[in-house]
Amino acid sequence: MRRAVPVVPVVLAPFVAALLLATSACGIRATTVPVDVGPAPSRVSCDTQEQPSGVQGFRATVELVCGSQLVGVERVIPVPEKKPVRDPLAMVAQALLEALERTPSSEERDAGFTSEVPLGLSAGAPRPGDPAGTVRLSRKPEDLPPVALSQIVCTLAGSEVLKATPGPVILGGPDVDPPRAWECTDAVRSRPESVPTLGELATPAPTPKPS
């Protein structure tokens, strides 16, 4: 059963960077999720064992592909390698992206896990006028492979460090196009290749009136 991740309210966002540097945890926790992996020969366990301690970071669940579905694997996420990332929430999103980009460990591969998230993808702060909580990616979300987009959406949606309340993930690209809302549903988790090509348009933040 997946272990719950500690909740960090949005109002504490300025302290997320300090949290990333100060929090110490004990490695990957065993994750046992009942998964319909289909008929033989797709015999994979979709289960990982606890790993040695010593990683500095924050605990989160990343969504990997196993048996053609998304399965959460609990990890300790280290501080982002691509710096500087000034926005605290973008820093958390960057750390989660880097975790998804990494090749699964040999133990995870033996259990049937893979990741479709391409290398080099990065997260940035919202543009002026974007809704609160928007994450701007270095590529348009709709241009990513569908399975990779499903992994990203469900990983960010499940991060209680990044999101204090349930709801859609708001993603935009590097250009001026408005961001869109993407939702992690049971259908997306069971068929990650069928994620909709376009999410709903996110409501832009209101323009402040001159005082």
PDB file of all heavy atoms in Angstrom, residues 33-71:
ATOM      1  N   VAL A  33       1.332  -2.533  -5.553  1.00  0.00           N
ATOM      2  CA  VAL A  33       0.100  -2.048  -6.157  1.00  0.00           C
ATOM      3  C   VAL A  33      -0.477  -3.152  -7.016  1.00  0.00           C
ATOM      4  O   VAL A  33       0.217  -3.682  -7.886  1.00  0.00           O
ATOM      5  CB  VAL A  33       0.360  -0.804  -7.039  1.00  0.00           C
ATOM      6  CG1 VAL A  33      -0.950  -0.288  -7.629  1.00  0.00           C
ATOM      7  CG2 VAL A  33       1.042   0.277  -6.225  1.00  0.00           C
ATOM      8  N   PRO A  34      -1.735  -3.570  -6.780  1.00  0.00           N
ATOM      9  CA  PRO A  34      -2.326  -4.588  -7.644  1.00  0.00           C
ATOM     10  C   PRO A  34      -2.499  -4.044  -9.050  1.00  0.00           C
ATOM     11  O   PRO A  34      -3.140  -3.021  -9.254  1.00  0.00           O
ATOM     12  CB  PRO A  34      -3.674  -4.876  -6.980  1.00  0.00           C
ATOM     13  CG  PRO A  34      -3.973  -3.662  -6.163  1.00  0.00           C
ATOM     14  CD  PRO A  34      -2.652  -3.106  -5.735  1.00  0.00           C
ATOM     15  N   VAL A  35      -1.887  -4.696 -10.029  1.00  0.00           N
ATOM     16  CA  VAL A  35      -1.891  -4.201 -11.402  1.00  0.00           C
ATOM     17  C   VAL A  35      -2.299  -5.321 -12.342  1.00  0.00           C
ATOM     18  O   VAL A  35      -1.787  -6.435 -12.257  1.00  0.00           O
ATOM     19  CB  VAL A  35      -0.486  -3.693 -11.806  1.00  0.00           C
ATOM     20  CG1 VAL A  35      -0.489  -3.272 -13.269  1.00  0.00           C
ATOM     21  CG2 VAL A  35      -0.089  -2.521 -10.935  1.00  0.00           C
ATOM     22  N   ASP A  36      -3.244  -5.023 -13.217  1.00  0.00           N
ATOM     23  CA  ASP A  36      -3.607  -5.955 -14.263  1.00  0.00           C
ATOM     24  C   ASP A  36      -2.611  -5.793 -15.390  1.00  0.00           C
ATOM     25  O   ASP A  36      -2.666  -4.845 -16.158  1.00  0.00           O
ATOM     26  CB  ASP A  36      -5.029  -5.656 -14.759  1.00  0.00           C
ATOM     27  CG  ASP A  36      -5.450  -6.576 -15.895  1.00  0.00           C
ATOM     28  OD1 ASP A  36      -4.700  -7.535 -16.167  1.00  0.00           O
ATOM     29  OD2 ASP A  36      -6.511  -6.319 -16.484  1.00  0.00           O
ATOM     30  N   VAL A  37      -1.645  -6.692 -15.462  1.00  0.00           N
ATOM     31  CA  VAL A  37      -0.580  -6.560 -16.452  1.00  0.00           C
ATOM     32  C   VAL A  37      -0.901  -7.315 -17.728  1.00  0.00           C
ATOM     33  O   VAL A  37      -0.051  -7.481 -18.589  1.00  0.00           O
ATOM     34  CB  VAL A  37       0.765  -7.041 -15.876  1.00  0.00           C
ATOM     35  CG1 VAL A  37       1.184  -6.160 -14.730  1.00  0.00           C
ATOM     36  CG2 VAL A  37       0.681  -8.508 -15.428  1.00  0.00           C
ATOM     37  N   GLY A  38      -2.130  -7.805 -17.848  1.00  0.00           N
ATOM     38  CA  GLY A  38      -2.528  -8.454 -19.072  1.00  0.00           C
ATOM     39  C   GLY A  38      -2.135  -9.915 -19.095  1.00  0.00           C
ATOM     40  O   GLY A  38      -1.547 -10.441 -18.153  1.00  0.00           O
ATOM     41  N   PRO A  39      -2.433 -10.592 -20.179  1.00  0.00           N
ATOM     42  CA  PRO A  39      -2.129 -12.014 -20.286  1.00  0.00           C
ATOM     43  C   PRO A  39      -0.643 -12.273 -20.433  1.00  0.00           C
ATOM     44  O   PRO A  39       0.126 -11.376 -20.739  1.00  0.00           O
ATOM     45  CB  PRO A  39      -2.894 -12.429 -21.554  1.00  0.00           C
ATOM     46  CG  PRO A  39      -2.967 -11.177 -22.373  1.00  0.00           C
ATOM     47  CD  PRO A  39      -3.096 -10.059 -21.380  1.00  0.00           C
ATOM     48  N   ALA A  40      -0.228 -13.526 -20.214  1.00  0.00           N
ATOM     49  CA  ALA A  40       1.165 -13.916 -20.434  1.00  0.00           C
ATOM     50  C   ALA A  40       1.532 -13.567 -21.867  1.00  0.00           C
ATOM     51  O   ALA A  40       0.701 -13.602 -22.767  1.00  0.00           O
ATOM     52  CB  ALA A  40       1.329 -15.405 -20.168  1.00  0.00           C
ATOM     53  N   PRO A  41       2.817 -13.173 -22.152  1.00  0.00           N
ATOM     54  CA  PRO A  41       3.963 -13.295 -21.248  1.00  0.00           C
ATOM     55  C   PRO A  41       4.253 -12.057 -20.429  1.00  0.00           C
ATOM     56  O   PRO A  41       5.375 -11.884 -19.971  1.00  0.00           O
ATOM     57  CB  PRO A  41       5.109 -13.574 -22.231  1.00  0.00           C
ATOM     58  CG  PRO A  41       4.720 -12.768 -23.437  1.00  0.00           C
ATOM     59  CD  PRO A  41       3.213 -12.817 -23.512  1.00  0.00           C
ATOM     60  N   SER A  42       3.304 -11.117 -20.237  1.00  0.00           N
ATOM     61  CA  SER A  42       3.550  -9.907 -19.473  1.00  0.00           C
ATOM     62  C   SER A  42       3.514 -10.208 -17.976  1.00  0.00           C
ATOM     63  O   SER A  42       2.613  -9.781 -17.261  1.00  0.00           O
ATOM     64  CB  SER A  42       2.499  -8.841 -19.828  1.00  0.00           C
ATOM     65  OG  SER A  42       2.573  -8.507 -21.178  1.00  0.00           O
ATOM     66  N   ARG A  43       4.490 -10.973 -17.492  1.00  0.00           N
ATOM     67  CA  ARG A  43       4.533 -11.350 -16.087  1.00  0.00           C
ATOM     68  C   ARG A  43       5.572 -10.491 -15.379  1.00  0.00           C
ATOM     69  O   ARG A  43       6.760 -10.816 -15.379  1.00  0.00           O
ATOM     70  CB  ARG A  43       4.850 -12.840 -15.940  1.00  0.00           C
ATOM     71  CG  ARG A  43       3.804 -13.741 -16.598  1.00  0.00           C
ATOM     72  CD  ARG A  43       4.107 -15.204 -16.342  1.00  0.00           C
ATOM     73  NE  ARG A  43       3.133 -16.059 -17.009  1.00  0.00           N
ATOM     74  CZ  ARG A  43       1.934 -16.346 -16.521  1.00  0.00           C
ATOM     75  NH1 ARG A  43       1.554 -15.830 -15.365  1.00  0.00           N
ATOM     76  NH2 ARG A  43       1.107 -17.137 -17.189  1.00  0.00           N
ATOM     77  N   VAL A  44       5.133  -9.392 -14.813  1.00  0.00           N
ATOM     78  CA  VAL A  44       6.015  -8.501 -14.081  1.00  0.00           C
ATOM     79  C   VAL A  44       5.407  -8.231 -12.720  1.00  0.00           C
ATOM     80  O   VAL A  44       4.188  -8.252 -12.557  1.00  0.00           O
ATOM     81  CB  VAL A  44       6.246  -7.168 -14.840  1.00  0.00           C
ATOM     82  CG1 VAL A  44       7.061  -7.406 -16.099  1.00  0.00           C
ATOM     83  CG2 VAL A  44       4.924  -6.500 -15.196  1.00  0.00           C
ATOM     84  N   SER A  45       6.255  -7.973 -11.748  1.00  0.00           N
ATOM     85  CA  SER A  45       5.751  -7.828 -10.382  1.00  0.00           C
ATOM     86  C   SER A  45       5.246  -6.431 -10.063  1.00  0.00           C
ATOM     87  O   SER A  45       4.412  -6.250  -9.195  1.00  0.00           O
ATOM     88  CB  SER A  45       6.854  -8.199  -9.387  1.00  0.00           C
ATOM     89  OG  SER A  45       7.910  -7.252  -9.447  1.00  0.00           O
ATOM     90  N   CYS A  46       5.774  -5.405 -10.759  1.00  0.00           N
ATOM     91  CA  CYS A  46       5.426  -4.011 -10.465  1.00  0.00           C
ATOM     92  C   CYS A  46       5.605  -3.736  -8.966  1.00  0.00           C
ATOM     93  O   CYS A  46       4.756  -3.114  -8.323  1.00  0.00           O
ATOM     94  CB  CYS A  46       4.011  -3.686 -10.910  1.00  0.00           C
ATOM     95  SG  CYS A  46       3.770  -3.775 -12.691  1.00  0.00           S
ATOM     96  N   ASP A  47       6.698  -4.211  -8.403  1.00  0.00           N
ATOM     97  CA  ASP A  47       6.961  -4.076  -6.982  1.00  0.00           C
ATOM     98  C   ASP A  47       8.439  -3.805  -6.785  1.00  0.00           C
ATOM     99  O   ASP A  47       9.282  -4.389  -7.471  1.00  0.00           O
ATOM    100  CB  ASP A  47       6.558  -5.365  -6.254  1.00  0.00           C
ATOM    101  CG  ASP A  47       6.722  -5.249  -4.748  1.00  0.00           C
ATOM    102  OD1 ASP A  47       6.544  -4.138  -4.228  1.00  0.00           O
ATOM    103  OD2 ASP A  47       7.039  -6.261  -4.115  1.00  0.00           O
ATOM    104  N   THR A  48       8.772  -2.882  -5.883  1.00  0.00           N
ATOM    105  CA  THR A  48      10.170  -2.580  -5.590  1.00  0.00           C
ATOM    106  C   THR A  48      10.430  -2.759  -4.113  1.00  0.00           C
ATOM    107  O   THR A  48       9.527  -2.683  -3.298  1.00  0.00           O
ATOM    108  CB  THR A  48      10.530  -1.128  -5.994  1.00  0.00           C
ATOM    109  OG1 THR A  48       9.688  -0.228  -5.287  1.00  0.00           O
ATOM    110  CG2 THR A  48      10.363  -0.924  -7.497  1.00  0.00           C
ATOM    111  N   GLN A  49      11.686  -2.972  -3.780  1.00  0.00           N
ATOM    112  CA  GLN A  49      12.086  -3.174  -2.399  1.00  0.00           C
ATOM    113  C   GLN A  49      12.734  -1.910  -1.843  1.00  0.00           C
ATOM    114  O   GLN A  49      13.233  -1.071  -2.587  1.00  0.00           O
ATOM    115  CB  GLN A  49      13.069  -4.349  -2.297  1.00  0.00           C
ATOM    116  CG  GLN A  49      12.501  -5.659  -2.828  1.00  0.00           C
ATOM    117  CD  GLN A  49      11.253  -6.085  -2.083  1.00  0.00           C
ATOM    118  OE1 GLN A  49      11.210  -6.014  -0.855  1.00  0.00           O
ATOM    119  NE2 GLN A  49      10.237  -6.525  -2.808  1.00  0.00           N
ATOM    120  N   GLU A  50      12.753  -1.803  -0.536  1.00  0.00           N
ATOM    121  CA  GLU A  50      13.358  -0.651   0.121  1.00  0.00           C
ATOM    122  C   GLU A  50      14.855  -0.606  -0.153  1.00  0.00           C
ATOM    123  O   GLU A  50      15.533  -1.636  -0.141  1.00  0.00           O
ATOM    124  CB  GLU A  50      13.104  -0.716   1.622  1.00  0.00           C
ATOM    125  CG  GLU A  50      13.575   0.518   2.368  1.00  0.00           C
ATOM    126  CD  GLU A  50      13.105   0.513   3.810  1.00  0.00           C
ATOM    127  OE1 GLU A  50      12.324  -0.383   4.178  1.00  0.00           O
ATOM    128  OE2 GLU A  50      13.534   1.410   4.550  1.00  0.00           O
ATOM    129  N   GLN A  51      15.363   0.579  -0.412  1.00  0.00           N
ATOM    130  CA  GLN A  51      16.769   0.769  -0.747  1.00  0.00           C
ATOM    131  C   GLN A  51      17.528   1.404   0.412  1.00  0.00           C
ATOM    132  O   GLN A  51      16.932   1.954   1.339  1.00  0.00           O
ATOM    133  CB  GLN A  51      16.877   1.671  -1.997  1.00  0.00           C
ATOM    134  CG  GLN A  51      16.222   1.062  -3.230  1.00  0.00           C
ATOM    135  CD  GLN A  51      16.876  -0.224  -3.650  1.00  0.00           C
ATOM    136  OE1 GLN A  51      18.088  -0.280  -3.811  1.00  0.00           O
ATOM    137  NE2 GLN A  51      16.084  -1.278  -3.806  1.00  0.00           N
ATOM    138  N   PRO A  52      18.869   1.367   0.375  1.00  0.00           N
ATOM    139  CA  PRO A  52      19.659   1.944   1.471  1.00  0.00           C
ATOM    140  C   PRO A  52      19.394   3.427   1.659  1.00  0.00           C
ATOM    141  O   PRO A  52      18.980   4.132   0.741  1.00  0.00           O
ATOM    142  CB  PRO A  52      21.113   1.696   1.024  1.00  0.00           C
ATOM    143  CG  PRO A  52      21.024   0.566   0.056  1.00  0.00           C
ATOM    144  CD  PRO A  52      19.699   0.719  -0.633  1.00  0.00           C
ATOM    145  N   SER A  53      19.641   3.915   2.877  1.00  0.00           N
ATOM    146  CA  SER A  53      19.428   5.320   3.193  1.00  0.00           C
ATOM    147  C   SER A  53      20.598   6.158   2.708  1.00  0.00           C
ATOM    148  O   SER A  53      21.583   5.656   2.196  1.00  0.00           O
ATOM    149  CB  SER A  53      19.257   5.493   4.704  1.00  0.00           C
ATOM    150  OG  SER A  53      20.420   5.043   5.358  1.00  0.00           O
ATOM    151  N   GLY A  54      20.464   7.494   2.888  1.00  0.00           N
ATOM    152  CA  GLY A  54      21.574   8.384   2.572  1.00  0.00           C
ATOM    153  C   GLY A  54      21.245   9.434   1.536  1.00  0.00           C
ATOM    154  O   GLY A  54      22.082  10.276   1.229  1.00  0.00           O
ATOM    155  N   VAL A  55      20.049   9.414   0.956  1.00  0.00           N
ATOM    156  CA  VAL A  55      19.674  10.397  -0.058  1.00  0.00           C
ATOM    157  C   VAL A  55      19.047  11.602   0.620  1.00  0.00           C
ATOM    158  O   VAL A  55      18.141  11.464   1.431  1.00  0.00           O
ATOM    159  CB  VAL A  55      18.686   9.787  -1.072  1.00  0.00           C
ATOM    160  CG1 VAL A  55      18.277  10.835  -2.100  1.00  0.00           C
ATOM    161  CG2 VAL A  55      19.310   8.588  -1.759  1.00  0.00           C
ATOM    162  N   GLN A  56      19.528  12.794   0.272  1.00  0.00           N
ATOM    163  CA  GLN A  56      18.971  14.038   0.802  1.00  0.00           C
ATOM    164  C   GLN A  56      17.916  14.557  -0.164  1.00  0.00           C
ATOM    165  O   GLN A  56      18.162  14.689  -1.355  1.00  0.00           O
ATOM    166  CB  GLN A  56      20.080  15.094   0.956  1.00  0.00           C
ATOM    167  CG  GLN A  56      21.157  14.733   1.962  1.00  0.00           C
ATOM    168  CD  GLN A  56      20.676  14.865   3.396  1.00  0.00           C
ATOM    169  OE1 GLN A  56      19.779  15.661   3.670  1.00  0.00           O
ATOM    170  NE2 GLN A  56      21.245  14.109   4.299  1.00  0.00           N
ATOM    171  N   GLY A  57      16.722  14.842   0.341  1.00  0.00           N
ATOM    172  CA  GLY A  57      15.678  15.355  -0.533  1.00  0.00           C
ATOM    173  C   GLY A  57      14.317  15.268   0.128  1.00  0.00           C
ATOM    174  O   GLY A  57      14.205  15.332   1.346  1.00  0.00           O
ATOM    175  N   PHE A  58      13.262  15.124  -0.686  1.00  0.00           N
ATOM    176  CA  PHE A  58      11.912  15.008  -0.158  1.00  0.00           C
ATOM    177  C   PHE A  58      11.259  13.760  -0.738  1.00  0.00           C
ATOM    178  O   PHE A  58      11.603  13.310  -1.826  1.00  0.00           O
ATOM    179  CB  PHE A  58      11.079  16.261  -0.467  1.00  0.00           C
ATOM    180  CG  PHE A  58      10.811  16.488  -1.935  1.00  0.00           C
ATOM    181  CD1 PHE A  58       9.613  16.093  -2.524  1.00  0.00           C
ATOM    182  CD2 PHE A  58      11.766  17.121  -2.731  1.00  0.00           C
ATOM    183  CE1 PHE A  58       9.370  16.313  -3.863  1.00  0.00           C
ATOM    184  CE2 PHE A  58      11.530  17.335  -4.082  1.00  0.00           C
ATOM    185  CZ  PHE A  58      10.334  16.934  -4.640  1.00  0.00           C
ATOM    186  N   ARG A  59      10.324  13.187   0.016  1.00  0.00           N
ATOM    187  CA  ARG A  59       9.679  11.953  -0.415  1.00  0.00           C
ATOM    188  C   ARG A  59       8.502  12.262  -1.343  1.00  0.00           C
ATOM    189  O   ARG A  59       7.717  13.163  -1.082  1.00  0.00           O
ATOM    190  CB  ARG A  59       9.197  11.172   0.808  1.00  0.00           C
ATOM    191  CG  ARG A  59       8.727   9.754   0.476  1.00  0.00           C
ATOM    192  CD  ARG A  59       8.353   8.997   1.734  1.00  0.00           C
ATOM    193  NE  ARG A  59       9.505   8.762   2.581  1.00  0.00           N
ATOM    194  CZ  ARG A  59      10.403   7.789   2.375  1.00  0.00           C
ATOM    195  NH1 ARG A  59      10.269   6.987   1.340  1.00  0.00           N
ATOM    196  NH2 ARG A  59      11.423   7.640   3.188  1.00  0.00           N
ATOM    197  N   ALA A  60       8.404  11.505  -2.437  1.00  0.00           N
ATOM    198  CA  ALA A  60       7.314  11.685  -3.393  1.00  0.00           C
ATOM    199  C   ALA A  60       7.095  10.379  -4.143  1.00  0.00           C
ATOM    200  O   ALA A  60       7.939   9.486  -4.130  1.00  0.00           O
ATOM    201  CB  ALA A  60       7.625  12.814  -4.373  1.00  0.00           C
ATOM    202  N   THR A  61       5.961  10.293  -4.814  1.00  0.00           N
ATOM    203  CA  THR A  61       5.643   9.139  -5.645  1.00  0.00           C
ATOM    204  C   THR A  61       5.771   9.539  -7.102  1.00  0.00           C
ATOM    205  O   THR A  61       5.134  10.494  -7.546  1.00  0.00           O
ATOM    206  CB  THR A  61       4.221   8.634  -5.361  1.00  0.00           C
ATOM    207  OG1 THR A  61       4.132   8.218  -3.997  1.00  0.00           O
ATOM    208  CG2 THR A  61       3.878   7.450  -6.259  1.00  0.00           C
ATOM    209  N   VAL A  62       6.604   8.835  -7.844  1.00  0.00           N
ATOM    210  CA  VAL A  62       6.748   9.077  -9.280  1.00  0.00           C
ATOM    211  C   VAL A  62       6.008   7.973 -10.023  1.00  0.00           C
ATOM    212  O   VAL A  62       5.979   6.819  -9.586  1.00  0.00           O
ATOM    213  CB  VAL A  62       8.223   9.146  -9.720  1.00  0.00           C
ATOM    214  CG1 VAL A  62       8.924  10.320  -9.061  1.00  0.00           C
ATOM    215  CG2 VAL A  62       8.950   7.846  -9.411  1.00  0.00           C
ATOM    216  N   GLU A  63       5.397   8.348 -11.135  1.00  0.00           N
ATOM    217  CA  GLU A  63       4.592   7.412 -11.904  1.00  0.00           C
ATOM    218  C   GLU A  63       5.427   6.827 -13.039  1.00  0.00           C
ATOM    219  O   GLU A  63       5.823   7.524 -13.973  1.00  0.00           O
ATOM    220  CB  GLU A  63       3.354   8.114 -12.464  1.00  0.00           C
ATOM    221  CG  GLU A  63       2.434   8.685 -11.400  1.00  0.00           C
ATOM    222  CD  GLU A  63       1.699   7.605 -10.604  1.00  0.00           C
ATOM    223  OE1 GLU A  63       1.577   6.472 -11.106  1.00  0.00           O
ATOM    224  OE2 GLU A  63       1.231   7.923  -9.490  1.00  0.00           O
ATOM    225  N   LEU A  64       5.706   5.523 -12.952  1.00  0.00           N
ATOM    226  CA  LEU A  64       6.437   4.811 -13.989  1.00  0.00           C
ATOM    227  C   LEU A  64       5.478   3.898 -14.738  1.00  0.00           C
ATOM    228  O   LEU A  64       4.347   3.663 -14.306  1.00  0.00           O
ATOM    229  CB  LEU A  64       7.580   4.004 -13.374  1.00  0.00           C
ATOM    230  CG  LEU A  64       8.629   4.806 -12.591  1.00  0.00           C
ATOM    231  CD1 LEU A  64       9.709   3.877 -12.043  1.00  0.00           C
ATOM    232  CD2 LEU A  64       9.242   5.908 -13.443  1.00  0.00           C
ATOM    233  N   VAL A  65       5.929   3.398 -15.876  1.00  0.00           N
ATOM    234  CA  VAL A  65       5.119   2.511 -16.697  1.00  0.00           C
ATOM    235  C   VAL A  65       5.446   1.072 -16.324  1.00  0.00           C
ATOM    236  O   VAL A  65       6.610   0.679 -16.279  1.00  0.00           O
ATOM    237  CB  VAL A  65       5.385   2.738 -18.193  1.00  0.00           C
ATOM    238  CG1 VAL A  65       4.480   1.855 -19.042  1.00  0.00           C
ATOM    239  CG2 VAL A  65       5.184   4.202 -18.560  1.00  0.00           C
ATOM    240  N   CYS A  66       4.414   0.284 -16.049  1.00  0.00           N
ATOM    241  CA  CYS A  66       4.590  -1.141 -15.757  1.00  0.00           C
ATOM    242  C   CYS A  66       3.348  -1.881 -16.226  1.00  0.00           C
ATOM    243  O   CYS A  66       2.224  -1.511 -15.852  1.00  0.00           O
ATOM    244  CB  CYS A  66       4.817  -1.369 -14.256  1.00  0.00           C
ATOM    245  SG  CYS A  66       5.335  -3.063 -13.861  1.00  0.00           S
ATOM    246  N   GLY A  67       3.542  -2.912 -17.048  1.00  0.00           N
ATOM    247  CA  GLY A  67       2.395  -3.638 -17.560  1.00  0.00           C
ATOM    248  C   GLY A  67       1.455  -2.766 -18.366  1.00  0.00           C
ATOM    249  O   GLY A  67       0.237  -2.949 -18.303  1.00  0.00           O
ATOM    250  N   SER A  68       1.998  -1.772 -19.104  1.00  0.00           N
ATOM    251  CA  SER A  68       1.216  -0.854 -19.945  1.00  0.00           C
ATOM    252  C   SER A  68       0.318   0.063 -19.141  1.00  0.00           C
ATOM    253  O   SER A  68      -0.606   0.675 -19.683  1.00  0.00           O
ATOM    254  CB  SER A  68       0.362  -1.634 -20.973  1.00  0.00           C
ATOM    255  OG  SER A  68       1.177  -2.420 -21.808  1.00  0.00           O
ATOM    256  N   GLN A  69       0.566   0.173 -17.835  1.00  0.00           N
ATOM    257  CA  GLN A  69      -0.191   1.085 -16.989  1.00  0.00           C
ATOM    258  C   GLN A  69       0.783   1.956 -16.203  1.00  0.00           C
ATOM    259  O   GLN A  69       1.985   1.714 -16.197  1.00  0.00           O
ATOM    260  CB  GLN A  69      -1.080   0.294 -16.020  1.00  0.00           C
ATOM    261  CG  GLN A  69      -2.069  -0.632 -16.689  1.00  0.00           C
ATOM    262  CD  GLN A  69      -2.951  -1.342 -15.696  1.00  0.00           C
ATOM    263  OE1 GLN A  69      -3.363  -0.761 -14.699  1.00  0.00           O
ATOM    264  NE2 GLN A  69      -3.256  -2.598 -15.953  1.00  0.00           N
ATOM    265  N   LEU A  70       0.239   2.978 -15.536  1.00  0.00           N
ATOM    266  CA  LEU A  70       1.053   3.796 -14.641  1.00  0.00           C
ATOM    267  C   LEU A  70       0.967   3.215 -13.235  1.00  0.00           C
ATOM    268  O   LEU A  70      -0.121   2.933 -12.734  1.00  0.00           O
ATOM    269  CB  LEU A  70       0.567   5.247 -14.625  1.00  0.00           C
ATOM    270  CG  LEU A  70       0.668   6.027 -15.933  1.00  0.00           C
ATOM    271  CD1 LEU A  70       0.324   7.503 -15.689  1.00  0.00           C
ATOM    272  CD2 LEU A  70       2.043   5.902 -16.569  1.00  0.00           C
ATOM    273  N   VAL A  71       2.134   3.044 -12.619  1.00  0.00           N
ATOM    274  CA  VAL A  71       2.212   2.527 -11.257  1.00  0.00           C
ATOM    275  C   VAL A  71       3.127   3.449 -10.462  1.00  0.00           C
ATOM    276  O   VAL A  71       4.230   3.775 -10.908  1.00  0.00           O
ATOM    277  CB  VAL A  71       2.757   1.081 -11.223  1.00  0.00           C
ATOM    278  CG1 VAL A  71       2.862   0.581  -9.783  1.00  0.00           C
ATOM    279  CG2 VAL A  71       1.858   0.155 -12.035  1.00  0.00           C
TER     280      VAL A  71
END
